[in-house]
Amino acid sequence: MIEIGYELDASPRMLHGVRLLKEALEACGYTVEEKAGGWAWNRYRDTGNRKIYVGRRTGSELLAALEERDVLLYHTDEPALEGFYLSSCPGRLVVVSGGDESGALYGCQELSRRIREEGGLPRELAIGDAPRFTWRGPVIGLQKQRVEPGRQLFEYPLTPDRFPWLYDKAMWLDYLDMLLEHRGNSLFLWNANPFASLIDLPDEPEAREVTKEQLETNASLLRWLTKEADRRGIRCFLAFYSIHIPHGFADKHGLSHKQTKPLPVTSDYFRRLMAAFVRDFPTVGLMVCLGERLKGQMYGAEWLCKTILPGIKEGFGESAAAEPPPVVVRSHAIDIEKVMEEADAHYPNLHTEMKYNGESLTTWTPRGATRELHQKLGARDGNHIATVHMLSNLEPFRWGAPSFIQRCAQAARYRLKASALQFYPLSYWSWPYSPDRSEVRIKQVDRDWIWFEAWLRYAWNPDREGSAEKRHWISRLEEKYGSREAAEHLLQAYEAFGTCAPKLLRRFGITQGNRQTMSLGMTMSQLTNPERYVPWSELWESHAPQGERLEEFVLKQLAGMPHLGETPLDIVEEAERSSEEASRAVKQARMTVQKNKTEFERLAADIEAVKAMTGMYTCKVRASLLVFMYKHTVGDRYAEKVELLEEAAEWLDKSVAVYRRLTETTEKQYWFAAGMPTQRRKVPFRDGEFSHWRDCLPLFERELAAFRQRIGDLRTGKMQAALDQVPSVSYRRYSQAGFTLLSENAELYRIEKGARVFTDGDIPIISCAEELYGLTGIRYSQLRAAYEEIQLDVELKEPSLILVGCFNSRDDQWLKPGGVKDGESSTLGLDPVIRNGIRLFVYPSVHVHAVPYEAGRHTLRFGMGAFLILGVIELNQNLSDREFEPHNNERTLLDWLYETTEEVMVQ
């Protein structure tokens, strides 16, 4: 007989812990009696039975009395928040002392586990534990892989036909139990505007995106889910985008359903919406994305501080909640520091969020500007989330290298100073199913069990001892596959192939997320001319160890300079060695696998697919190095050193052969490679229909054929003759004229790659026409341009042309080209002198107009909307009349070696 005691006011969370204890004890043959209330330090000995008492350290008279009398002593930190302590006390009493209700729950969970392992209630207990991250949990997308007709990306009302799994309560209970088992305590649900499927504003019936009956079903489901999650110590969050308004509401007010800036009507709607939601769901946290369609650099702080937070505060004031719900602010596409400086004064429970390795998983040593910003956010008040986001370089394969994950969790805590850890599933867009080709769809929570377990395990404690961790994972794999010998080999395989994709992307990739599907490969142009594809330099400057890109490596080789950090050849050798090691290990494991053999074979196929993907990349990298060697040694004499290209062609041939093998494997195993087919993807091909290896193989074969044809043409002199006929156009920088900037709210800057074009935000120049490079531009606050006509005072020393950049977009935030005027303020309707002369990261390209002004002082004013001043140049000089094409206007870029017209069209 064992008594389990607790206070009369025990919460559902604590009672859930008691239930876990009772089930464990009964499974070991004990008779269990629950006893609520009446526990005192001088009375608990009245019964001779063994006893377990569960309580909150700060709310239990019994625990306080035992501590005061030195009966209950802690040899670790005293339990706080989610921490707990298990102690054997005199009088046949076992105490579960929780720092709070979650701590008591986790203490019951730990004691239950030990009871089951030992076959009974342990006699000696003195165990303390606590989490290292305050929030630990996954993201689930209420999203679909393909955009519905009549809607746009992320726009999916909550209905059973779109999300049948959302209404499967049994699935939810299994998932919540899994999170509790591994002490996850947060669950984030993502949708552009979930409120339109949950909240009925009486004065806005057109803002409801589902029927009233469906809305009530959705609200009931969220209440049930929140209650069940809370019982397990899990906080639910709803994440949403800005500014997405319901279609009916948009139609009523004559608006687009995605708004770039706040309007009185949208602000009023969202403030009331937030208030109603918090009033109805006071315990649900909120996560707001201020940058995406909303121009967060300009309006993020305004939208948050004047609409979202006031609505939440109003709803909290009308609710019975003890504390305002947590609000998480994403750093994506906003100046997060400035936003939080303003927002902190408006709300007491704010948290920041930032991606760990962008939208990939590449390293446990993040550095550079990304690390610096993480640390600044972590230093604010300790409420900062690092998010392992999207995993574009790991999909669609299984992945679960425990030591890699552990080091990443350590890096999140120690290098980035994050206090919370959030992670995405391996195939976010197809949740809850994996991309595996099978008659019955495989659930990700089953396929990727090691992914979920490892992140949750190390979010609780990333500093676990290495050899003990190896034993833990071998034991878990033995449970799955029935053999310790197989488990040892499989752990080796997981660890080995788990490094391949991270290393390859960080050294050779161009970007991440939906813009690059890594497993589909890269073209030779993308490897040898990455500037053509608007590369995201943070990939190798922040989300990779120090190292060299391909061309940099070759130039150093030719100059006899020392190399620094990771080199392309280092990664080639390491990735090949790791993939081969994983392949050997899984073959050895196959001989002793005893159960789950079908899943084992799928895992084995994934390892062989990653080996083939690795071989495809490493062969192509070797080919690219030879092309760079050719580029930097032949000058304009392209018919020389063709042997370098012939050797490169041999490597490219091997790459295509490996890709065929990869295609054969994945044709049997996978429905798709890319989680979401999208026109935004640039690598390897633009078209969203290139979602499987079989779609890409013909283009890679064509690339090889074109390369061999060009080499043959070079050998015969045909190609050299053709190139000689191409005029070698050299564009010289415009001659700069003298001027003085008189405005105090603007500043001068040099037009060059990487330069920021506005004083606020971080929008850099990716590339610019040669005529503009090195000129002196004028930049000002883009946020100011959103509210007033920009006026810039300058003094010209001589008659000059002022280069005005107009964004190639019809959005209201940009100056329209018709607004460009001359010094007499008459509309010129000037045609641009360089079309797309400036390429910016994320923003539209910029057409360059030349506007004449006389010598003297002038106020430049062109109307509402942002524009760029890209230089002041001498009046009498020849101006270009061209479109800037940084990708193809130089023979030295060598894309002509392996591209045909068809390839250019899909890139």
Side-chain angles (χ1 to χ4, degrees):
M1 173 67 157
I2 292 184
E3 293 181 2
I4 302 178
Y6 45 86
E7 297 302 320
L8 288 171
D9 62 350
S11 68
R13 194 174 301 178
M14 292 176 64
L15 294 177
H16 191 76
V18 168
R19 183 176 68 81
L20 296 177
L21 274 177
K22 185 176 181 180
E23 290 173 353
L25 289 166
E26 289 177 340
C28 293
Y30 292 97
T31 300
V32 180
E33 180 181 332
E34 294 184 36
K35 183 180 177 183
W39 289 80
W41 72 270
N42 58 347
R43 298 292 304 275
Y44 76 83
R45 288 175 177 266
D46 290 354
T47 174
N49 295 327
R50 299 187 69 184
K51 297 165 286 291
I52 302 172
Y53 176 81
V54 179
R56 287 182 296 111
R57 182 170 177 261
T58 56
S60 165
E61 293 183 6
L62 174 63
L63 295 181
L66 293 178
E67 287 184 24
E68 182 182 351
R69 289 161 176 77
D70 284 352
V71 175
L72 175 59
L73 300 170
Y74 305 110
H75 77 287
T76 62
D77 289 336
E78 296 171 342
L81 298 178
E82 296 177 295
F84 63 85
Y85 194 89
L86 308 180
S87 179
S88 299
C89 295
R92 309 188 76 187
L93 174 66
V94 171
V95 164
V96 178
S97 176
D100 59 9
E101 293 172 353
S102 289
L105 170 61
Y106 294 140
C108 290
Q109 178 194 52
E110 178 64 20
L111 182 54
S112 300
R113 184 182 65 81
R114 291 173 180 266
I115 289 169
R116 291 182 185 274
E117 286 181 353
E118 298 185 23
L121 182 63
R123 293 285 178 180
E124 292 294 333
L125 287 166
I127 302 159
D129 203 358
R132 308 310 191 265
F133 288 99
T134 54
W135 284 338
R136 312 167 298 279
V139 176
I140 288 180
L142 301 174
Q143 316 279 10
K144 296 181 72 65
Q145 287 179 274
R146 294 185 180 273
V147 178
E148 296 179 359
R151 294 191 174 272
Q152 296 185 30
L153 195 62
F154 309 130
E155 296 281 345
Y156 307 107
L158 306 183
T159 57
D161 59 318
R162 291 184 177 92
F163 305 105
W165 56 267
L166 179 62
Y167 304 90
D168 185 343
K169 291 186 175 181
M171 186 210 75
W172 276 119
L173 291 177
D174 287 344
Y175 191 72
L176 295 175
D177 284 340
M178 182 275 292
L179 293 182
L180 172 58
E181 181 181 356
H182 304 290
R183 298 177 188 166
N185 69 345
S186 61
L187 174 62
F188 291 78
L189 303 175
W190 259 114
N191 185 270
N193 182 3
F195 313 107
S197 297
L198 292 164
I199 296 298
D200 190 12
L201 294 179
D203 298 332
E204 303 283 359
E206 65 281 346
R208 207 173 51 233
E209 291 218 304
V210 297
T211 66
K212 192 163 187 177
E213 293 74 20
Q214 184 61 55
L215 185 144
E216 291 172 355
T217 297
N218 292 342
S220 176
L221 176 71
L222 182 59
R223 291 189 186 93
W224 173 85
L225 179 61
T226 301
K227 180 180 178 181
E228 290 298 330
D230 181 75
R231 189 189 312 237
R232 294 162 175 82
I234 299 166
R235 166 88 73 167
C236 288
F237 289 79
L238 279 191
F240 61 100
Y241 286 96
S242 300
I243 302 173
H244 290 227
I245 56 178
H247 286 234
F249 181 90
D251 293 342
K252 174 184 177 181
H253 296 282
L255 301 172
S256 166
H257 69 277
K258 289 184 179 181
Q259 291 292 302
T260 61
K261 62 181 181 181
L263 299 172
V265 65
T266 56
S267 294
D268 176 69
Y269 163 67
F270 260 94
R271 183 190 56 74
R272 290 185 290 117
L273 193 64
M274 293 294 101
F277 179 81
V278 173
R279 196 163 52 241
D280 287 358
F281 302 95
T283 63
V284 176
L286 292 165
M287 181 172 178
V288 56
C289 178
L290 298 173
E292 190 80 28
R293 181 62 177 173
L294 173 68
K295 301 306 177 185
Q297 297 283 8
M298 295 186 289
Y299 307 111
E302 175 189 345
W303 183 246
L304 179 66
C305 297
K306 294 184 179 181
T307 298
I308 301 299
L309 295 181
I312 294 172
K313 289 168 65 176
E314 179 182 333
F316 167 67
E318 296 171 353
S319 74
E323 60 180 9
V327 176
V328 180
V329 182
R330 292 188 77 200
S331 63
H332 175 64
I334 62 172
D335 187 337
I336 185 67
E337 290 182 278
K338 289 185 179 179
V339 168
M340 299 312 292
E341 283 176 9
E342 184 171 342
D344 278 333
H346 292 267
Y347 197 77
N349 197 2
L350 285 176
H351 305 254
T352 54
E353 179 273 350
M354 188 171 173
K355 298 168 186 174
Y356 172 73
N357 280 165
E359 295 186 355
S360 309
L361 186 62
T362 56
T363 183
W364 56 76
T365 54
R367 61 190 181 95
T370 295
R371 181 196 180 201
E372 181 180 348
L373 182 54
H374 268 290
Q375 290 184 330
K376 288 180 179 179
L377 296 176
R380 281 180 57 256
D381 54 12
N383 293 331
H384 178 55
I385 304 172
T387 300
V388 181
H389 186 90
M390 202 60 74
L391 298 317
S392 62
N393 63 323
L394 304 184
E395 65 178 0
F397 306 119
R398 290 155 177 77
W399 196 96
S403 66
F404 198 115
I405 292 174
Q406 181 176 14
R407 291 167 186 151
C408 290
Q410 290 170 330
R413 187 176 184 219
Y414 298 114
R415 286 189 66 79
L416 305 184
K417 308 304 180 185
S419 59
L421 188 61
Q422 177 193 77
F423 63 96
Y424 277 59
L426 283 173
S427 188
Y428 171 78
W429 295 103
S430 61
W431 182 266
Y433 302 109
S434 77
D436 296 78
R437 185 184 289 272
S438 59
E439 292 184 9
V440 178
R441 295 294 299 273
I442 300 172
K443 289 184 177 178
Q444 291 186 54
V445 73
D446 297 323
R447 187 194 85 152
D448 301 322
W449 63 272
I450 195 170
W451 170 265
F452 290 99
E453 286 190 22
W455 282 112
L456 292 169
R457 180 175 179 83
Y458 297 123
W460 177 269
N461 180 9
D463 299 321
R464 300 172 190 266
E465 194 273 327
S467 59
E469 287 309 285
K470 184 176 181 179
R471 291 192 297 271
H472 168 80
W473 291 112
I474 288 174
S475 175
R476 289 293 291 121
L477 288 163
E478 183 180 2
E479 291 176 29
K480 292 288 182 181
Y481 297 105
S483 161
R484 184 170 186 81
E485 183 178 353
E488 291 172 348
H489 290 307
L490 284 175
L491 180 59
Q492 181 186 7
Y494 266 118
E495 298 284 23
F497 91 91
T499 65
C500 295
K503 289 181 177 179
L504 291 170
L505 183 73
R506 75 193 190 200
R507 201 77 277 139
F508 309 124
I510 291 175
T511 183
Q512 36 80 69
N514 292 320
R515 297 176 65 224
Q516 176 164 5
T517 303
M518 182 192 155
S519 65
L520 290 179
M522 295 173 65
T523 66
M524 287 293 291
S525 172
Q526 288 158 358
L527 287 166
T528 61
N529 185 16
E531 293 298 320
R532 175 177 178 177
Y533 304 91
V534 191
W536 187 58
S537 60
E538 284 295 287
L539 179 60
W540 54 89
E541 292 175 356
S542 287
H543 304 306
Q546 181 65 260
E548 297 170 2
R549 300 280 282 174
L550 287 165
E551 190 164 18
E552 179 187 5
F553 172 79
V554 170
L555 289 171
K556 286 187 174 183
Q557 285 282 86
L558 291 173
M561 297 172 62
H563 296 288
L564 178 65
E566 287 182 345
T567 70
L569 288 182
D570 290 339
I571 297 302
V572 162
E573 293 168 0
E574 291 171 11
E576 288 177 337
R577 183 170 56 250
S578 295
S579 64
E580 184 59 42
E581 178 185 344
S583 179
R584 285 196 306 270
V586 79
K587 289 173 183 175
Q588 291 171 316
R590 180 177 281 113
M591 296 183 288
T592 54
V593 168
Q594 299 298 317
K595 60 181 184 179
N596 289 325
K597 293 185 178 181
T598 299
E599 172 57 23
F600 168 81
E601 291 300 336
R602 289 187 178 278
L603 171 60
D606 275 5
I607 291 173
E608 291 305 312
V610 170
K611 180 183 176 182
M613 181 190 75
T614 299
M616 174 267 296
Y617 269 101
T618 58
C619 289
K620 214 157 193 174
V621 164
R622 289 187 173 97
S624 300
L625 290 173
L626 289 162
V627 170
F628 276 127
M629 190 72 70
Y630 170 82
K631 172 183 175 180
H632 291 291
T633 56
V634 299
D636 286 335
R637 299 181 299 277
Y638 297 107
E640 296 185 6
K641 297 192 177 183
V642 179
E643 63 275 7
L644 289 172
L645 298 183
E646 289 175 333
E647 186 180 353
E650 294 303 313
W651 283 112
L652 190 56
D653 186 83
K654 293 177 181 178
S655 175
V656 172
V658 175
Y659 199 89
R660 289 193 191 101
R661 191 167 74 244
L662 175 60
T663 301
E664 291 171 2
T665 298
T666 52
E667 182 70 27
K668 301 174 184 176
Q669 296 295 125
Y670 281 98
W671 295 109
F672 51 83
M676 180 179 62
T678 171
Q679 295 291 336
R680 296 172 63 187
R681 189 179 336 124
K682 303 178 67 176
V683 183
F685 306 111
R686 278 188 183 275
D687 195 326
E689 295 305 313
F690 287 83
S691 60
H692 199 281
W693 298 264
R694 64 171 174 270
D695 305 322
C696 302
L697 177 60
L699 275 70
F700 288 131
E701 292 174 328
R702 197 178 306 164
E703 178 185 63
L704 173 61
F707 192 34
R708 288 199 178 280
Q709 178 65 47
R710 298 294 185 270
I711 293 171
D713 291 344
L714 287 169
R715 279 295 188 195
T716 62
K718 179 180 178 182
M719 195 69 205
Q720 182 71 57
L723 290 170
D724 288 342
Q725 293 176 9
V726 177
S728 180
V729 181
S730 177
Y731 297 97
R732 299 182 59 185
R733 193 190 80 179
Y734 290 145
S735 297
Q736 186 159 278
F739 76 98
T740 302
L741 174 64
L742 303 176
S743 297
E744 294 182 357
N745 54 4
E747 62 186 36
L748 303 177
Y749 73 105
R750 177 182 168 87
I751 307 297
E752 60 186 351
K753 179 181 176 182
R756 293 183 298 111
V757 296
F758 294 108
T759 56
D760 46 2
D762 186 20
I763 303 303
I765 294 174
I766 297 299
S767 60
C768 66
E770 295 90 325
E771 300 94 317
L772 307 176
Y773 195 89
L775 293 178
T776 299
I778 301 173
R779 60 189 173 200
Y780 55 87
S781 166
Q782 185 186 1
L783 177 59
R784 190 162 61 90
Y787 296 99
E788 61 185 68
E789 180 184 14
I790 293 298
Q791 300 183 32
L792 299 172
D793 295 323
V794 298
E795 184 170 1
L796 308 182
K797 295 183 178 180
E798 57 186 295
S800 307
L801 294 171
I802 296 181
L803 300 179
V804 181
C806 292
F807 288 85
N808 187 18
S809 170
R810 295 182 180 180
D811 282 356
D812 291 341
Q813 62 180 309
W814 310 120
L815 174 71
K816 302 302 180 291
V820 177
K821 309 172 188 299
D822 69 359
E824 300 301 322
S825 299
S826 62
T827 300
L828 294 177
L830 291 171
D831 291 330
V833 295
I834 309 177
R835 294 174 295 282
N836 299 317
I838 295 282
R839 305 294 176 95
L840 304 172
F841 184 69
V842 180
Y843 277 21
S845 60
V846 177
H847 295 326
V848 182
H849 303 257
V851 187
Y853 284 85
E854 297 295 331
R857 297 184 60 148
H858 298 275
T859 296
L860 308 182
R861 49 184 301 179
F862 306 123
M864 289 295 294
F867 57 90
L868 303 180
I869 298 296
L870 298 169
V872 179
I873 63 175
E874 294 177 358
L875 182 64
N876 297 315
Q877 60 183 301
N878 292 327
L879 298 179
S880 309
D881 181 10
R882 68 169 182 125
E883 180 157 358
F884 172 52
E885 287 286 349
H887 325 312
N888 301 312
N889 64 347
E890 294 184 22
R891 293 179 295 173
T892 55
L893 292 177
L894 302 185
D895 284 351
W896 50 266
L897 275 172
Y898 20 69
E899 281 194 346
T900 65
T901 303
E902 289 81 3
E903 272 78 57
V904 173
M905 289 175 63
V906 296
Q907 291 189 53

